[in-house]
Amino acid sequence: MLQAISIDTHQVKLKRSMMSEGLLFGAQFLAGLHGLRMRIKRQVLSDRTGESRGIRAGLSGEFADHRMYMPGDDLRHLDWPLYWRQRKPFIKVSDSQEDCPVYIVLDATASMSFGTKWDYARQLAAAISFIAIESANSAHLFSLGDGIRKLSTTFDRRSFFKITCGDLQSLQADERADISIALNKLPFYRRGRGITVLISDFLDCSNLAAGLSCVSAKSETVLFHVVDGWEQSPDLQGLRELEDLERGDRLSVAGAETARDYRRQFMRFAEDLRCMSFRRGLHYVHACTEEPVNRTVMKSLVFSGR
Amino acid sequence: MFLAPAYLWLLILALPLLWRHQSRHSQVFPVSSISFWRSAIDDGARRQRPSGFNSQLLVELFVLLLLTLAAAQFTGNNTNRVAAVSLDNSASMRLTNANGDARLTASHDAATNALRSLPGSQQVALFVSGFGKRPMLHGFPHYVGDVLGEWEPSAADSSASEMLHHSMDWLGGKDHSSRELYYFGDEAMSHWPTVPERIQLIPVTGTASAPNYAVLGVTAKRRAHNPELLWIKAFVGYVGVGETASVRWSLQIEDRVILDGVAELQSGRSEMLSLSLTGHVDAENVTLNLDTDDSCALDNRYTTEIETEEAIRVFVGDSHSDLRKAISAVPGVKVVDLSGSESAKVWFSPKPSHGRPRLHFARPEDCILSPANSSFFQLEHPILDGVDSVSWDLNLIEDLKPELGTEVLAGAGPFSFLTIDGDRRIVRVGFDPVTTGFIHRPGFPIFITNALAWLTAGEITSEDIAEKVTALDPIRTPLRERQSRSVRSKPLNLPIWAFLAVLGLALALLHWRKS
């Protein structure tokens, strides 16, 4: 999905605008993202011209194939030299250059507010959006909660990315809902083929498989499983009463053995999610908050193998 | 009420629990989801050991439970204690003691005083002869005592043992921790010690060269419902090379042999000799001898000859065909079937007319004693000479019920009553000879022969008539130590919560030592 391309020039203006958004999306954050470009292997389908290879035949001038002349075809595309040699009319077909929409779906439920998960997820969303813009694609930002909500659409890197960062900055993870229900509505918001990036902790999903099926339909999908460091390996001593951030339930736990059983359960859940993604052709990226964002993004690049 | 020591102890014990509970709630830690924690607890619940807090909680809850039980024991009413007071107003209570006191009056006063001295919360039932299985009164002791004090008792023609039996049944049906029986009367209620079981190995003369042994185990006990009945169970077994061996046994009281017999034993099998003695027999003086002389045989011993001058007419019911066959098998006895005879009774008399001696087989409920002089005879009576009672099922034998106005001089035994009514002799058999298997015993024809000999004997001598009872033992003190179920087991004086408290303290000490 992502590919590192060395570029010679930096977008100075964009950098300045990013620096003004505070430490969350500061210069240090953006410095690790420079040089990353997004290139989709599959043919995209969009109603907007871009730099990705479209599934439809277009007029980009880059020759792709010949086909027989059909009544109604434009005679300007007729290959006359070939006609004189073969005595048969052939039409020159060229690829279309279309936009690859990147749908960034950010889980904004209350469980994401634990620890540094929310900041990390927003940085991931901003990074993906930044890379999409750098790749001359459009970035569509959604938030998942009680439903699915479209936050912003960024077409122009110079003007709209600042708006995206502002939306992410003001977004709060305080909704209490099942994201698998909201994911079912995602296909109604997408137009054409593109890339869907789902950033979530995938906790308390009643039917995650059905939600992922809706996400992965006609789209290349990347799952960022955001996990806090304590959440992954809790250090629990003595008796604690735990409160569910999303549901408000409380549970008394005690002892290191329970924490060990919890780690085993959590790792099993992550492994199940990875296997489920693999079976459905999705790219699973384990995003731990103790790891820098750019390294996680690079890991997704390595994972995709492109 | 809440300032009682028990509640203060409960409060003191509850304070650390409340403190821990509050401190636990103050340490709320928010997490993303508790679903994994919950599943982790569920998965590890089996192998998860209780934490220190849980152990402390369990121990303190256990102590709280014990204290609650103790408080309930201290403050609650003793409704689980029940007592039966039996006032004997049988016919023998009409007599006066040696000191001139009327027995019934003395018993009445003693029962009233005893009732008023009982704890006020105890449930008491008053049993008086003549009221059947139900108690005369039931309630708290002071109420029953007041009613009993105003009541003027009169002697009834009923049995004291039957009343005691009903009292026992009433106490036995109660699910209470403490059951007591108070008896006021002149019935001998001595508690005979149970003879410990003795096992002996006695050499038996056998045909083979290898030594043979007969195993004798003797157990003598008294039934709770009929303490006058000394029940002796002897298990005689033969262990040896030969297939069979004959063993002569005899039962003697002190130096007098009252019953004997021969048991044909098979190798590897044991036979039970079930014997019973009625009356005030000291069990320590009872001896069961086992003679190893195998020269005696059953056939030799029970050969009898019947001397009758005329045929005996037997009236047999239709349902007693087995009895009829057994009687007809007796030499010299001729069975004549008559129509209209009762099916439940068999009258066995040389001449079926009133005023003639007769032998009466009847069911216990139909065998009623007449008011005439009756005497109970033991097994050593000539009418039972040579009759064995081996392998009888004594449970099937019920006591005879005396008729109204009959003065019972001794309790009914398992065998029979002998009644002399004027110049008429009557032999009553108070059990079903068919059901008990008596007709199949070798002693049955002997019994018939002996009965006929006694019935057709000459004039009635003074030895045949029981002595008139003029002076009995003075009234005894009420028996309090008698329990309803078992006379062997001694009730526990300590309540159950005391043992639980000791157990709880031991657990608490163990827990604190570990911690």
Coordinates of all heavy atoms in Angstrom, one line a residue, chain B residues 449-490:
Chain B
T449 N -49.8 -81.7 71.7 CA -49.9 -82.8 72.6 C -49.8 -82.3 74.0 O -50.6 -82.7 74.9 CB -48.7 -83.8 72.3 OG1 -48.8 -84.1 71.0 CG2 -48.9 -85.0 73.2
N450 N -48.9 -81.4 74.3 CA -48.8 -80.9 75.7 C -50.1 -80.1 76.1 O -50.5 -80.2 77.2 CB -47.6 -80.0 75.8 CG -46.3 -80.8 75.7 OD1 -46.3 -82.0 75.8 ND2 -45.2 -80.1 75.3
A451 N -50.6 -79.3 75.1 CA -51.8 -78.6 75.4 C -53.0 -79.5 75.7 O -53.7 -79.2 76.6 CB -52.1 -77.6 74.2
L452 N -53.1 -80.5 74.9 CA -54.2 -81.4 75.1 C -54.0 -82.1 76.5 O -55.0 -82.3 77.2 CB -54.3 -82.5 74.0 CG -54.7 -81.9 72.7 CD1 -54.7 -83.0 71.6 CD2 -56.1 -81.4 72.8
A453 N -52.8 -82.4 76.8 CA -52.6 -83.1 78.1 C -52.9 -82.2 79.2 O -53.5 -82.6 80.2 CB -51.1 -83.6 78.1
W454 N -52.6 -80.9 79.1 CA -52.9 -80.0 80.2 C -54.3 -79.7 80.2 O -54.9 -79.5 81.3 CB -52.0 -78.7 80.0 CG -52.1 -77.8 81.2 CD1 -51.5 -78.0 82.3 CD2 -53.0 -76.7 81.3 NE1 -51.8 -76.9 83.2 CE2 -52.7 -76.1 82.6 CE3 -53.9 -76.1 80.4 CZ2 -53.4 -75.0 83.0 CZ3 -54.5 -74.9 80.9 CH2 -54.3 -74.4 82.1
L455 N -54.9 -79.5 79.1 CA -56.3 -79.2 79.1 C -57.2 -80.3 79.6 O -58.2 -80.0 80.3 CB -56.8 -78.8 77.6 CG -56.2 -77.5 77.1 CD1 -56.6 -77.4 75.6 CD2 -56.8 -76.3 77.8
T456 N -56.8 -81.5 79.4 CA -57.6 -82.6 79.8 C -57.1 -83.2 81.1 O -57.4 -84.4 81.4 CB -57.6 -83.7 78.7 OG1 -56.2 -84.1 78.5 CG2 -58.2 -83.2 77.4
A457 N -56.3 -82.5 81.8 CA -55.8 -83.0 83.1 C -56.9 -83.0 84.1 O -58.1 -82.6 83.9 CB -54.6 -82.1 83.5
G458 N -56.5 -83.3 85.3 CA -57.5 -83.5 86.4 C -57.9 -82.2 87.0 O -57.9 -81.1 86.3
E459 N -58.2 -82.2 88.2 CA -58.6 -81.0 88.9 C -57.6 -79.9 88.9 O -56.4 -80.2 88.9 CB -59.0 -81.4 90.4 CG -60.2 -82.3 90.4 CD -61.5 -81.7 89.9 OE1 -61.6 -80.5 90.0 OE2 -62.3 -82.5 89.3
I460 N -58.0 -78.7 89.0 CA -57.1 -77.6 89.0 C -56.6 -77.5 90.4 O -57.3 -77.4 91.4 CB -57.9 -76.3 88.6 CG1 -58.4 -76.5 87.2 CG2 -56.9 -75.1 88.7 CD1 -59.2 -75.3 86.8
T461 N -55.3 -77.5 90.5 CA -54.6 -77.3 91.8 C -54.3 -75.9 92.0 O -54.4 -75.0 91.2 CB -53.3 -78.2 91.8 OG1 -52.4 -77.7 90.8 CG2 -53.6 -79.7 91.5
S462 N -53.9 -75.6 93.2 CA -53.6 -74.3 93.6 C -52.3 -73.8 92.9 O -52.0 -72.6 92.8 CB -53.4 -74.2 95.1 OG -52.4 -75.1 95.6
E463 N -51.5 -74.8 92.5 CA -50.2 -74.4 91.8 C -50.5 -73.8 90.5 O -49.7 -73.0 89.9 CB -49.3 -75.6 91.7 CG -48.9 -76.1 93.0 CD -48.0 -77.4 92.9 OE1 -47.9 -77.8 91.7 OE2 -47.5 -77.9 93.9
D464 N -51.6 -74.1 89.9 CA -51.9 -73.6 88.6 C -52.4 -72.2 88.6 O -52.4 -71.5 87.6 CB -52.9 -74.5 87.9 CG -52.4 -75.9 87.6 OD1 -51.1 -76.0 87.4 OD2 -53.1 -76.9 87.7
I465 N -52.9 -71.8 89.8 CA -53.5 -70.5 89.8 C -52.4 -69.5 90.3 O -51.7 -69.8 91.2 CB -54.7 -70.5 90.8 CG1 -55.7 -71.5 90.4 CG2 -55.3 -69.1 90.9 CD1 -56.9 -71.7 91.3
A466 N -52.4 -68.4 89.7 CA -51.4 -67.4 90.0 C -51.7 -66.8 91.4 O -52.8 -66.7 91.8 CB -51.4 -66.3 89.0
E467 N -50.6 -66.4 92.0 CA -50.8 -65.8 93.3 C -51.4 -64.4 93.2 O -51.1 -63.7 92.2 CB -49.4 -65.8 94.0 CG -48.8 -67.1 94.2 CD -47.4 -67.0 94.9 OE1 -47.0 -65.8 95.1 OE2 -46.9 -68.0 95.3
K468 N -52.1 -64.1 94.2 CA -52.7 -62.8 94.3 C -51.7 -61.8 94.7 O -51.0 -62.0 95.7 CB -53.9 -62.8 95.2 CG -54.7 -61.6 95.1 CD -55.6 -61.6 93.9 CE -56.5 -60.4 93.8 NZ -57.3 -60.4 92.6
V469 N -51.5 -60.7 94.0 CA -50.5 -59.7 94.3 C -51.1 -58.8 95.4 O -52.2 -58.2 95.1 CB -50.1 -58.9 93.1 CG1 -49.1 -57.8 93.4 CG2 -49.5 -59.9 92.1
T470 N -50.5 -58.7 96.5 CA -51.0 -57.8 97.5 C -50.1 -56.7 97.8 O -50.6 -55.6 98.2 CB -51.2 -58.6 98.8 OG1 -49.9 -59.2 99.1 CG2 -52.2 -59.7 98.6
A471 N -48.9 -56.8 97.6 CA -47.9 -55.7 97.9 C -46.9 -55.6 96.8 O -46.3 -56.7 96.5 CB -47.3 -55.9 99.3
L472 N -46.7 -54.5 96.3 CA -45.8 -54.3 95.2 C -44.7 -53.4 95.7 O -44.8 -52.8 96.8 CB -46.4 -53.8 93.9 CG -47.4 -54.7 93.3 CD1 -48.0 -54.0 92.1 CD2 -46.8 -56.0 92.9
D473 N -43.7 -53.2 94.9 CA -42.6 -52.3 95.3 C -43.1 -50.9 95.4 O -44.1 -50.5 94.7 CB -41.5 -52.4 94.2 CG -40.9 -53.7 94.2 OD1 -41.0 -54.4 95.3 OD2 -40.4 -54.1 93.2
P474 N -42.6 -50.1 96.3 CA -43.0 -48.7 96.3 C -42.6 -48.0 95.1 O -41.8 -48.4 94.3 CB -42.1 -48.1 97.5 CG -41.0 -49.1 97.7 CD -41.5 -50.4 97.3
I475 N -43.3 -46.9 94.9 CA -43.2 -46.1 93.6 C -41.7 -45.6 93.5 O -41.1 -45.3 94.5 CB -44.2 -45.0 93.6 CG1 -44.1 -44.3 92.2 CG2 -43.9 -43.9 94.7 CD1 -45.3 -43.4 92.0
R476 N -41.3 -45.6 92.3 CA -39.9 -45.2 92.0 C -39.9 -43.8 91.7 O -40.9 -43.1 91.3 CB -39.3 -46.1 90.9 CG -39.3 -47.5 91.3 CD -38.5 -48.3 90.3 NE -38.4 -49.7 90.6 CZ -37.5 -50.5 90.1 NH1 -36.6 -50.0 89.2 NH2 -37.5 -51.7 90.5
T477 N -38.7 -43.3 91.7 CA -38.5 -41.9 91.3 C -38.6 -41.8 89.7 O -38.3 -42.8 89.1 CB -37.1 -41.4 91.7 OG1 -36.1 -42.3 91.2 CG2 -37.0 -41.3 93.2
P478 N -39.0 -40.7 89.3 CA -39.1 -40.6 87.8 C -37.8 -40.8 87.1 O -36.8 -40.4 87.6 CB -39.6 -39.1 87.6 CG -40.2 -38.7 88.9 CD -39.4 -39.5 89.9
L479 N -37.9 -41.4 86.0 CA -36.7 -41.7 85.2 C -36.5 -40.6 84.2 O -37.4 -40.3 83.4 CB -36.9 -43.0 84.5 CG -37.1 -44.2 85.4 CD1 -37.4 -45.4 84.5 CD2 -35.8 -44.4 86.2
R480 N -35.4 -39.9 84.3 CA -35.1 -38.8 83.4 C -34.1 -39.2 82.4 O -33.9 -38.5 81.4 CB -34.7 -37.6 84.2 CG -35.7 -37.1 85.1 CD -35.3 -35.7 85.5 NE -35.2 -34.9 84.4 CZ -35.1 -33.5 84.4 NH1 -35.1 -32.9 85.6 NH2 -35.0 -32.8 83.4
E481 N -33.3 -40.2 82.6 CA -32.2 -40.5 81.8 C -32.6 -41.3 80.5 O -31.8 -41.5 79.7 CB -31.1 -41.3 82.5 CG -31.5 -42.7 82.9 CD -32.3 -42.7 84.2 OE1 -32.7 -41.6 84.7 OE2 -32.5 -43.8 84.7
R482 N -33.9 -41.6 80.5 CA -34.3 -42.5 79.4 C -34.5 -41.6 78.1 O -35.3 -40.7 78.2 CB -35.5 -43.3 79.7 CG -35.9 -44.2 78.6 CD -37.0 -45.1 79.0 NE -37.4 -45.9 77.9 CZ -38.3 -46.9 78.0 NH1 -38.9 -47.1 79.1 NH2 -38.6 -47.6 76.9
Q483 N -33.9 -41.9 77.0 CA -34.1 -41.3 75.8 C -35.0 -42.1 74.9 O -35.2 -43.3 75.2 CB -32.8 -41.0 75.1 CG -31.9 -40.0 75.9 CD -32.5 -38.7 76.1 OE1 -33.1 -38.1 75.2 NE2 -32.4 -38.1 77.3
S484 N -35.4 -41.5 73.9 CA -36.4 -42.2 73.1 C -35.9 -43.2 72.1 O -36.4 -44.3 72.0 CB -37.2 -41.2 72.3 OG -36.3 -40.5 71.4
R485 N -34.9 -42.8 71.4 CA -34.4 -43.7 70.3 C -33.6 -44.9 70.8 O -33.9 -46.0 70.6 CB -33.6 -42.9 69.3 CG -34.4 -42.0 68.5 CD -35.3 -42.8 67.5 NE -36.2 -42.0 66.8 CZ -35.9 -41.4 65.7 NH1 -34.7 -41.5 65.1 NH2 -36.8 -40.7 65.0
S486 N -32.5 -44.6 71.4 CA -31.6 -45.7 71.7 C -31.2 -45.5 73.2 O -30.9 -44.5 73.7 CB -30.4 -45.6 70.8 OG -29.4 -46.5 71.2
V487 N -31.2 -46.6 73.9 CA -30.7 -46.6 75.2 C -29.2 -46.7 75.3 O -28.6 -46.5 76.3 CB -31.4 -47.7 76.0 CG1 -32.9 -47.5 76.1 CG2 -31.1 -49.1 75.4
R488 N -28.6 -47.1 74.2 CA -27.2 -47.2 74.2 C -26.5 -45.9 74.1 O -25.6 -45.5 74.8 CB -26.7 -48.1 73.0 CG -26.9 -49.6 73.3 CD -26.2 -50.3 72.1 NE -26.4 -51.7 72.2 CZ -25.9 -52.6 71.4 NH1 -25.2 -52.1 70.4 NH2 -26.1 -53.9 71.5
S489 N -26.9 -45.1 73.1 CA -26.2 -43.9 72.8 C -26.5 -42.9 73.9 O -27.7 -42.7 74.3 CB -26.7 -43.4 71.4 OG -28.1 -43.1 71.4
K490 N -25.5 -42.2 74.2 CA -25.7 -41.1 75.2 C -25.7 -39.8 74.4 O -24.9 -39.5 73.6 CB -24.4 -41.1 76.1 CG -24.6 -40.3 77.4 CD -23.5 -40.5 78.3 CE -23.7 -39.7 79.6 NZ -22.6 -39.9 80.5

